[in-house]
Amino acid sequence: MEEQESGIIKKFIYVNRKAPHGTIYAHEALEVVLIAAAFEQDVALAFIDDGVYQLKKGQNTDGIATKNFSKTFGALDMYDVEKLYVEKESLEARGLSEEDLSVDVEILPASDLKNLFNESEVFFNF
Amino acid sequence: MKFGVLINEGPYQHQASDSAYKFIEAAIAEGHEIYRVFFYHDGVNNGTRLATPPQDDRHIPNRWTELAEKHNLDLVLCVAAAQRRGMVDQGEMERNKKDANNIADKFRISGLGQLIEAGIQADRMITFGD
Amino acid sequence: MLHTINKSPFEKDSLTTCLRYAQKGASILFIEDAVYACTKGTQFEKDIHDHQGDIKFYVLGPDLEARGLDNSNLTTNIEIVDYKGFVKLVADNEKTQNWL
């Protein structure tokens, strides 16, 4: 695995706004997060709009042949990726609540998530 | 200023690749440095040398190669995304025992770490995608 | 901070979401199919006007022209920039959020 030795630590934010499975964006975004973990940067994930569907619990892709990458979210803490934020407005607009999600997240309204945007330095959108 | 550019869509299918090209051209003209252009998702298809677009259309892969030759750009295809989509260079061909390679000049295949590194090293990071 | 949007607001709600996050002093640039977001007479005109006190709105001229539109089709206070202006916006803002 490639290691970063620049000594620079930046605040990365991954903004996830797409639903899983219909397209590969969410899946390949998660691959970026896993690789990024090796670089010892400050990492946060924000799930906004349809991105909240990525965290819906009980996903089973046996019938559609795609990879069930949703299980990987549960392993993120082993990679020291612990800052997962879900936008409250997006969750509520989709009739979902915290109990519907597969992992521990912090649910914040956009007015609070804004602060995370303010602090972040590098934005990746998938 | 150092710019990092991420391109997430394939050529011809989506405007992202054209927008990125125009942006990079303008950035260079303004005296900025392009630290790296990283191709992810279907964006890796920008790097095929086997494309044959109609003569009255732009040749997107060739255009990248020419821009890279002129300005010494670092064009990187993500290896994981490239393997999925059959984008192969000499090394990948040998490693995965394929009977051909298809990568255009001036492109190289490397890991996602190259994208993270661009995020760390570049002053500005911009993404063109869907 | 610069925000870019590249989707028609009739296709995806990127503009609505972006407006939840764009703060005072932010710039929003419409590129590709998002240029339709700042035309006159749409349901999104009011959203844009409601934020124009705090946020500056830009549209990429070449994308506008490609779609048969010009200044006369735009709602008020939208600045048209070329690619050089796009580069300047990215350089002038410390960070860019591309709402894909």
Side-chain angles (χ1 to χ4, degrees), chain B residues 98-118:
Chain B
K98 299 294 179 185
D99 61 5
N101 66 65
N102 58 350
I103 194 169
D105 279 351
K106 304 302 283 182
F107 284 87
R108 63 188 181 95
I109 293 179
S110 189
L112 274 168
Q114 299 277 304
L115 170 64
I116 307 304
E117 191 191 52

Side-chain angles (χ1 to χ4, degrees), chain B residues 61-90:
Chain B
N62 283 1
R63 207 173 55 176
W64 284 120
T65 298
E66 286 156 16
L67 194 69
E69 279 168 351
K70 202 167 159 195
H71 300 287
N72 200 24
L73 295 183
D74 188 18
L75 307 177
V76 181
L77 309 183
C78 166
V79 62
Q83 284 176 336
R84 279 197 177 104
R85 292 162 179 88
M87 284 301 310
V88 180
D89 64 6
Q90 185 68 26

Side-chain angles (χ1 to χ4, degrees), chain A residues 2 4 6 8 10 12 14 18 24-29 31-32 35-36 39 41 67 122-126, chain B residues 6 8-9 40-42 80-81 84-85 110-117 119-123 125 127 130:
Chain A
E2 298 154 274
Q4 178 62 33
S6 67
I8 304 169
K10 281 192 177 176
F12 281 67
Y14 293 84
K18 291 186 167 85
I24 199 169
Y25 300 105
H27 179 188
E28 287 190 327
E31 293 187 349
V32 178
I35 296 292
F39 282 73
Q41 301 291 303
K67 196 171 168 186
V122 184
F123 290 71
F124 281 128
N125 282 260
F126 294 104
Chain B
L6 171 61
N8 287 338
E9 294 299 322
Y40 197 44
H41 301 304
D42 277 359
R84 279 197 177 104
R85 292 162 179 88
S110 189
L112 274 168
Q114 299 277 304
L115 170 64
I116 307 304
E117 191 191 52
I120 295 168
Q121 298 296 338
D123 302 307
M125 191 73 216
T127 305
D130 186 52

Side-chain angles (χ1 to χ4, degrees), chain A residues 103-123:
Chain A
V103 286
D104 282 337
V105 297
E106 196 169 341
I107 298 171
L108 295 172
S111 53
D112 288 345
L113 265 179
K114 270 183 184 179
N115 299 328
L116 181 68
F117 273 52
N118 279 345
E119 293 163 9
S120 300
E121 296 174 284
V122 184
F123 290 71

Side-chain angles (χ1 to χ4, degrees), chain A residues 16 25-35 45 69-73 76 126, chain B residues 40:
Chain A
N16 299 286
Y25 300 105
H27 179 188
E28 287 190 327
L30 194 53
E31 293 187 349
V32 178
V33 173
L34 295 179
I35 296 292
L45 275 63
F69 62 93
S70 72
K71 290 171 181 162
T72 310
F73 288 112
L76 282 178
F126 294 104
Chain B
Y40 197 44

Side-chain angles (χ1 to χ4, degrees), chain A residues 24-100:
Chain A
I24 199 169
Y25 300 105
H27 179 188
E28 287 190 327
L30 194 53
E31 293 187 349
V32 178
V33 173
L34 295 179
I35 296 292
F39 282 73
E40 298 184 345
Q41 301 291 303
D42 188 335
V43 173
L45 275 63
F47 297 86
I48 300 171
D49 293 333
D50 280 353
V52 303
Y53 287 131
Q54 293 178 29
L55 301 176
K56 172 73 179 67
K57 70 180 173 195
Q59 293 180 37
N60 178 353
T61 59
D62 290 352
I64 63 168
T66 61
K67 196 171 168 186
N68 189 1
F69 62 93
S70 72
K71 290 171 181 162
T72 310
F73 288 112
L76 282 178
D77 56 346
M78 291 193 302
Y79 292 83
D80 293 322
V81 176
E82 287 161 344
K83 290 189 254 182
L84 275 63
Y85 302 96
V86 171
E87 192 203 58
K88 190 164 178 280
E89 289 90 335
S90 300
L91 205 57
E92 287 175 355
R94 286 159 182 77
L96 298 174
S97 62
E98 194 164 4
E99 298 83 75
D100 295 304

Side-chain angles (χ1 to χ4, degrees), chain B residues 12-26:
Chain B
Y12 304 105
Q13 178 74 17
H14 194 288
Q15 202 189 334
S17 172
D18 292 298
S19 297
Y21 180 84
K22 299 293 288 182
F23 179 88
I24 290 168
E25 240 187 359

